[in-house]
């Protein structure tokens, strides 16, 4: 049967000169354009690439007479990495090439026969998964793409199967990204059954999710939550970008267009998503439960289309969108996004400089830790939000490292070191239930704090990001465990060519080393220093594991990696132990202007280049030189001096329960008393900035 040749004569993105009389005709044509695999900026008449054509030819050549393909386990119903999804994806790939191929009637007939046989096998085999997502979202979505491409070329039996058995399983329900997927499927089906009322309901349901919420979805701090108050930037939040930017383009110039929603997406991309990608690597702490091989890289690249759409929809900010696109095109390009941001709705801080990025991910009684869910993914990630602190310079520090990781030595975390696997997180990872977890940022510098108590290990942990320096403090580390307690500074790929003990001038390779006070350990673009005496250990060597340990459906093939592991040994049953370490890039070793003012159970504080950053775990007074700051309630505070004798106070309540705090400041001989009203309700935990001199 001859396939319909889909020439979509769109003048792309010139929305004021639409040639269609009806908005739904416009939307239908644009959805066809997308189903055919065209990218943002394509005109809709580009032929398939040589690679796409070769892949389609290979699939047709390997297909069995019954329409199936070898190598696919059609009997498997597994929830994650469902094998039969490959069969459905194969149909899409062949159909996209067939519809875009110009001429060669004989080849088109081969494609057509292959497509119809494959759909027939899908129907006869009644492909099934134990995961509802495949039946209500994935299969209806792919069936919709096929219908958009095939149109009238679908037989009556195929039309009935795709529309009335597969696509009809999607209903408008749920919240956040799941609701968007379901509504998208309902809308596409409504086009074919000519149910305009349902189409209007579905498109409204999709666009209504593009809003700021404190439920599931885009948060007031531009992070993203799904499955409760859980950071989901790189899972559901990433799909949200793909779907929403697509729909913003699809409805542009129609009655459904909303410029305010374009502005919301701009904020989500520029003040949220863009911050969590270093070079072409998506921060581990933002990946959610999906940290499989290649995922951090593919997640970073999957943002590209969203930025391309927004560059056209929001031309005033095209330079900012282009910066991300340039970053994806060249790993060695200049990093143009620098500064500090604290996502107060998600217990998450990101600090970016020209030459490196650092992130800190925490959890609390307000924010859940990273999930594993019911799909056998992230099985060892129970501690992945317990103060995880990652450092990026080359962008390869943690690439596909996870099978060889010691999952009880998460960088930044203070954990029991035993042979026991970390607890499996499940759908709701209620790891650290302490309320005093938070932070603040002035846009350039920032800090965060985590009052921690998990598995009987208690600690007060704080991270201070000051220019090119990250100061990491811990106090009150207490445990009754018979096993040792470690605070891991880093666990990443070993770069033997960069590993140096600077004090002794030694080039280090494999082995175990004790790091003395004042030693500078240089590795992978960073220098680690230790201002105080503590039991610091360095281990360099091979570690092994398999991806099956991470996700049950993956391979159990043994994988080895050379690992750099730097940590502080607090011993067994520590009582009130401390740690202190400083991390900064090798390329810029400035004169250290950062001074540790306190590291106690009451106050953790540093001074850096005119700013004071302080964590007050209880009402207390911090004194430095002839200056002081005291508070009457637990809080975090940053005192910033500026030019022309300016004096600003940033303050927040990590516990999200206080209504106000009284602050007394003595600075350069002057005394100030301020009663600061703190944000409440949905904005509890966010920072307030006041001018002390006014």
């Amino acid at each position: 049967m001859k396939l319909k040749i889909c020439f979509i004569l769109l003048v792309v993105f010139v929305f004021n000169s639409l040639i269609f009389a009806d908005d739904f005709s416009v939307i239908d044509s644009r959805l066809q354009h997308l189903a055919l695999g065209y990218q943002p900026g394509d005109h809709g008449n580009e032929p398939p690439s040589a690679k796409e054509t070769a892949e389609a030819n290979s699939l047709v050549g390997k297909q069995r007479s019954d329409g199936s393909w070898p190598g696919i386990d059609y009997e498997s119903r597994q929830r994650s990495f469902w094998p039969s999804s490959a069969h459905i994806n194969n149909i899409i790939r062949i159909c996209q090439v067939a519809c875009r191929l110009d001429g060669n009637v004989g080849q088109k007939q081969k494609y057509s026969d292959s497509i119809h046989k494959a759909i027939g096998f899908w129907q006869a085999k009644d492909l099934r998964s134990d995961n509802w997502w495949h039946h209500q979202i994935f299969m209806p979505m792919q069936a919709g793409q096929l219908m958009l491409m095939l149109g009238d070329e679908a037989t009556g039996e195929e039309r009935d199967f795709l529309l009335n058995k597969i696509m009809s399983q999607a209903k408008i329900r749920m919240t956040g990204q799941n609701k968007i997927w379901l509504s998208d499927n309902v809308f596409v089906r409504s086009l074919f059954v000519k149910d305009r009322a349902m189409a209007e309901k579905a498109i409204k349901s999709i666009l209504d999710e593009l809003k700021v919420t404190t439920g599931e979805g885009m948060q007031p701090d531009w992070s993203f939550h799904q499955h409760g108050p859980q950071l989901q930037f790189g899972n559901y939040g990433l799909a949200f970008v793909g779907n929403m930017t697509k729909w913003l383009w699809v409805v542009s110039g129609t009655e459904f267009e909303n410029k305010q929603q374009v502005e919301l997406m701009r904020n989500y991309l520029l003040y949220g998503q863009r911050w969590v990608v270093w070079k072409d690597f998506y921060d581990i702490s933002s990946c959610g439960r999906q940290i499989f091989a290649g995922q951090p890289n593919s997640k970073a690249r999957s943002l590209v289309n969203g930025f391309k759409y927004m560059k056209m929809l929001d031309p005033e900010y095209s330079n900012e969108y282009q910066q991300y696109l340039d970053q994806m095109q060249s790993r060695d390009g200049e990093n143009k996004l620098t500064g500090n941001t604290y996502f107060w709705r998600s217990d998450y801080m990101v600090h970016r400089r020209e030459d490196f990025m650092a992130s800190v991910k925490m959890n609390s009684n307000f924010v859940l830790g990273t999930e594993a869910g019911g799909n056998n993914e992230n099985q060892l990630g129970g501690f992945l939000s317990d103060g995880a602190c990652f450092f990026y310079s080359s962008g390869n520090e943690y690439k596909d490292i996870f099978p060889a990781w010691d999952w009880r030595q998460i960088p930044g975390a203070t954990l029991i070191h035993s042979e026991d696997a970390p607890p499996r997180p499940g759908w709701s990872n209620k790891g650290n239930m302490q309320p005093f977890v938070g932070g603040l940022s002035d846009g350039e510098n920032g800090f965060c704090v985590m009052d921690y108590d998990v598995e009987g290990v208690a600690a007060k942990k704080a991270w201070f990001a000051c220019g090119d320096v990250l100061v990491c403090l811990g106090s009150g580390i207490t445990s009754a465990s018979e096993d040792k307690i470690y605070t891991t500074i880093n666990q990443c790929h070993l770069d033997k060519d960069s590993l140096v003990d600077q004090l002794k001038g030694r080039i280090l390779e494999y082995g175990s080393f004790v790091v003395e006070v004042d030693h500078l350990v240089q590795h992978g673009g960073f220098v680690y220093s230790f201002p105080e005496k503590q039991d610091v250990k360095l281990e360099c060597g091979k570690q092994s594991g398999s991806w099956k340990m991470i996700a049950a459906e993956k391979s159990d093939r043994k994988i080895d990696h050379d690992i750099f592991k730097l940590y502080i040994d607090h011993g067994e049953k520590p009582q009130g132990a401390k740690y202190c370490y400083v991390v900064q890039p090798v390329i810029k070793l400035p004169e250290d202007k950062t001074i540790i003012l306190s590291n106690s159970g009451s106050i953790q504080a540093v001074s850096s280049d005119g700013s004071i950053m302080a964590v007050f775990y209880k009402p207390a007074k911090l004194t430095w030189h002839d200056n002081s700051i005291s508070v009457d309630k637990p809080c975090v505070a940053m005192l910033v001096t500026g030019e022309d004798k300016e004096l600003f106070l940033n303050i927040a309540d990590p516990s999200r329960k206080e209504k106000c705090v009284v602050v007394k400041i003595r600075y350069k001989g002057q005394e100030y008393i301020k009663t600061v009203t703190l944000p409440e309700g949905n904005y509890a935990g966010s920072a307030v900035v006041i001018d002390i001199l006014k």
Side-chain angles (χ1 to χ4, degrees), residues 277-279 331-339 351-358 390-397 467-469 523-527 583-590:
V277 178
W278 178 256
K279 296 188 176 180
R331 297 188 82 252
D332 297 324
E334 180 185 359
N335 169 42
K336 295 182 179 180
L337 178 61
T338 61
H351 189 67
R352 301 176 63 103
R353 307 298 290 175
E354 291 181 2
D355 307 301
F356 78 96
M357 181 179 103
F390 298 112
F391 300 98
Y392 303 94
S393 178
S394 71
N396 295 320
E397 284 81 3
D468 289 318
V469 177
H523 176 262
F526 294 97
V527 170
V583 185
Q584 55 195 117
V586 174
I587 198 168
K588 289 182 178 177
L589 274 178

Side-chain angles (χ1 to χ4, degrees), residues 5-185:
I5 302 175
C6 302
F7 293 109
I8 303 173
L9 302 177
L10 291 174
V11 181
V12 180
F13 306 115
V14 184
F15 305 128
N16 294 324
S17 58
L18 299 173
I19 63 174
F20 301 95
D22 180 79
D23 281 345
F24 280 103
S25 297
V26 175
I27 293 170
D28 187 9
S29 296
R30 289 175 176 170
L31 288 175
Q32 289 182 43
H33 178 92
L34 296 173
L36 288 165
Y38 290 118
Q39 301 300 308
D42 288 347
H43 296 289
N45 57 4
E46 291 86 352
S49 68
K51 180 181 179 182
E52 290 170 325
T53 303
E55 288 176 347
N57 290 339
S58 176
L59 288 172
V60 171
K62 294 177 181 178
Q63 190 177 32
R64 296 173 176 142
S65 60
D66 65 354
S68 67
W69 276 279
I72 296 177
D73 181 3
Y74 289 101
E75 303 304 320
S76 173
R77 297 169 63 103
Q78 65 193 43
R79 294 179 55 86
S80 185
F81 312 106
W82 182 43
S84 293
S85 63
H87 179 93
I88 301 168
N89 289 334
N90 288 348
I91 308 174
I92 296 292
R93 291 161 67 188
I94 297 171
C95 198
Q96 286 176 337
V97 170
C99 287
R100 294 168 63 179
L101 189 66
D102 191 13
N104 199 338
V105 175
Q107 186 60 48
K108 286 184 180 181
Q109 186 62 50
K110 291 182 180 179
Y111 290 150
S112 178
D113 293 343
S114 174
I115 291 165
H116 291 301
K117 283 195 301 182
I119 295 174
F121 181 85
W122 180 2
Q123 182 178 9
K125 189 68 175 176
D126 189 23
L127 302 177
R128 308 293 296 174
S129 165
D130 287 336
N131 190 339
W132 71 271
W133 190 90
H134 290 117
H135 292 278
Q136 297 182 37
I137 292 178
F138 171 73
M139 284 197 284
M141 184 184 300
Q142 301 302 74
Q145 302 308 295
L146 283 172
M147 285 299 301
L148 286 165
M149 288 188 281
L150 290 172
D152 294 337
E153 297 301 322
T155 68
E157 185 178 2
E158 289 170 344
R159 183 182 177 91
D160 181 64
F161 169 66
L162 294 173
L163 288 175
N164 298 327
K165 181 172 182 179
I166 300 300
M167 297 181 70
S168 64
Q169 295 186 65
K171 309 293 183 185
I172 300 175
R173 64 188 189 91
M174 305 187 78
T175 60
Q177 181 56 40
N178 284 327
K179 184 179 180 182
I180 295 168
W181 277 319
L182 291 165
S183 301
D184 192 325
N185 291 338

Side-chain angles (χ1 to χ4, degrees), residues 393-455:
S393 178
S394 71
N396 295 320
E397 284 81 3
Y398 310 99
K399 187 173 183 178
D400 296 342
I401 196 174
F402 308 110
W405 243 12
D406 181 337
W407 284 81
R408 281 189 171 271
Q409 288 199 256
I410 303 293
T414 300
L415 302 171
I416 294 174
H417 193 261
S418 72
E419 297 300 321
D420 296 336
R424 192 176 185 280
W427 285 113
S428 182
N429 184 5
K430 296 181 180 179
N432 182 45
M433 294 301 292
Q434 297 296 98
F436 197 80
V437 178
L440 55 78
S441 169
D442 67 359
E444 288 298 320
N445 302 307
F447 66 107
C448 56
V449 56
M450 185 182 197
D451 191 4
Y452 182 73
D453 192 347
V454 174
E455 282 197 324

